[in-house]
Amino acid sequence: MSLPTGEVRRGFPMHRMQVVIAYFLIYVVWGSTYYFIGVCLRDLPPFVLGAVRFSVAGGALLAVCRWRGERLLNKKLVLKSAVCGIVLLFIDQAVIMFAQRFVSSSLVAIVASSTAVWIMLLDVPAWRRNFKSLATVSGMLLGFLGVALLYAEQLLTEGQNGAHSEYGVLLLVGGCVSWACGTLYSKYGSSAEEEVGGLAGAAWQMVSASVVFGLCAGVTDGFADVDLPSVSMSTWLSLAYLIIFGSLMAYTAYVWLLKVRPASEVATHAYVNPVVAVVLGAGLGGERVTAVQLAGLAVILLSLALVNRKRQGC
């Protein structure tokens, strides 16, 4: 079902401040999750991290929906949310977490930036709108170039970490395609009745992802590998951050934005997230910010200006 650009949906009243806050969450908070995922992986296996994070977040969001009086046991909503949760959350997040165990977070971020391009290429109903503007297309391509420039120095030294790092890149590309497919499925694959229960849909997505994460953790003995007494306080605090800010706030903001803004515009978070990751790395990790990184930041901001110039008034 095609969504008219910029149309205000029933159940999703769009106010300027709400949109600004939602974009802040998916731009800044999601950009910070690369760092906090890395902290958690010091003590928790990927499948265990996913199971705990999304079971707690999904359960909490279901409780909120119940308190608001939303209908939770809608068969179509649960089934569609389960598909979306597996494609959008489980596959993508599993890929990111496994990749961060073998390649640098900078490499993860550079490949993740291609998500916006994949969404544009796969969003068939919006092809006419997305590709009619040279400024929009140029902005998307320029954004990817900016991220490439931002991490150029690190990518040149990535190969020395060991052989077969190219496998990690291919895995990350698959994760980006999965996220793009899940994004478009979430945008086009729900009825008006299901869209009213947007928070409930997001909650069931998290619960579905947590079930698959839990099954994988059980099969791989991931739970047995966790030594609870040795889990550091920084890991617990990072996990709490991922649950509260990364999942409950940022992800629900993302789902809401998909209902009220064009998918290609929402996808521009992929350009800003790596910038936030660099700032966090410099502030918390003591990384040196170089002139090349500052130049990459400038290019990314220019790309966003080009993309959003054609979106004003949507």
Side-chain angles (χ1 to χ4, degrees):
M1 181 179 64
S2 179
L3 302 183
T5 303
E7 181 179 339
V8 178
R9 293 316 205 71
R10 183 182 177 187
F12 288 91
M14 182 167 60
H15 304 294
R16 184 176 298 274
M17 185 54 65
Q18 288 177 309
V19 173
V20 170
I21 293 174
Y23 270 113
F24 173 82
L25 289 171
I26 68 169
Y27 276 17
V28 178
V29 172
W30 265 359
S32 67
T33 56
Y34 286 103
Y35 172 80
F36 291 106
I37 287 174
V39 173
C40 289
L41 290 176
R42 297 171 187 171
D43 299 318
L44 300 175
F47 287 138
V48 173
L49 173 57
V52 175
R53 174 185 177 182
F54 292 114
S55 62
V56 174
L61 193 55
L62 281 177
V64 171
C65 293
R66 177 69 174 177
W67 176 74
R68 293 176 55 182
E70 293 189 26
R71 182 184 176 189
L72 298 180
L73 299 179
N74 181 318
K75 183 179 179 180
K76 289 184 178 180
L77 173 64
V78 173
L79 291 177
K80 287 180 178 292
S81 297
V83 173
C84 192
I86 293 172
V87 175
L88 193 62
L89 287 178
F90 170 73
I91 296 178
D92 180 79
Q93 289 298 304
V95 164
I96 287 177
M97 288 188 289
F98 272 103
Q100 285 195 225
R101 303 187 80 185
F102 303 107
V103 299
S104 69
S105 60
S106 64
L107 186 57
V108 173
I110 180 65
V111 179
S113 69
S114 67
T115 301
V117 176
W118 284 108
I119 288 179
M120 285 189 65
L121 292 176
L122 297 175
D123 192 1
V124 178
W127 273 0
R128 179 173 298 181
R129 182 181 68 248
N130 289 341
F131 293 106
K132 73 177 181 180
S133 169
L134 179 61
T136 299
V137 176
S138 299
M140 287 287 184
L141 296 177
L142 188 61
F144 186 78
L145 176 63
V147 176
L149 179 64
L150 184 64
Y151 292 107
E153 295 173 312
Q154 297 175 20
L155 287 175
L156 289 174
T157 61
E158 187 64 33
Q160 69 185 22
N161 286 343
H164 305 307
S165 61
E166 68 277 10
Y167 294 168
V169 175
L170 293 176
L171 189 64
L172 286 168
V173 170
C176 292
V177 174
S178 176
W179 181 271
C181 291
T183 294
L184 295 173
Y185 181 84
S186 177
K187 184 176 181 67
Y188 295 117
S190 56
S191 67
E193 178 185 359
E194 292 157 1
E195 289 165 3
V196 173
L199 284 180
W204 284 120
Q205 289 176 28
M206 295 181 198
V207 171
S208 301
S210 72
V211 170
V212 181
F213 271 118
L215 291 174
C216 292
V219 171
T220 59
D221 291 327
F223 292 112
D225 293 335
V226 178
D227 183 11
L228 288 178
S230 67
V231 177
S232 66
M233 181 59 66
S234 61
T235 294
W236 290 122
L237 292 176
S238 296
L239 178 59
Y241 180 90
L242 291 173
I243 292 171
I244 297 171
F245 294 98
S247 296
L248 287 176
M249 298 179 67
Y251 187 67
T252 54
Y254 180 76
V255 171
W256 178 76
L257 278 172
L258 287 174
K259 304 301 181 182
V260 299
R261 302 302 297 170
S264 57
E265 178 187 296
V266 178
T268 56
H269 72 84
Y271 298 149
V272 183
N273 290 167
V275 179
V276 176
V278 167
V279 173
L280 257 182
L284 299 181
E287 298 176 358
R288 184 171 60 94
V289 179
T290 67
V292 173
Q293 292 171 345
L294 293 177
L297 173 61
V299 172
I300 291 170
L301 294 178
L302 176 60
S303 76
L304 290 175
L306 287 173
V307 170
N308 291 322
R309 188 178 69 177
K310 291 297 181 179
R311 301 299 182 186
Q312 299 299 324
C314 286

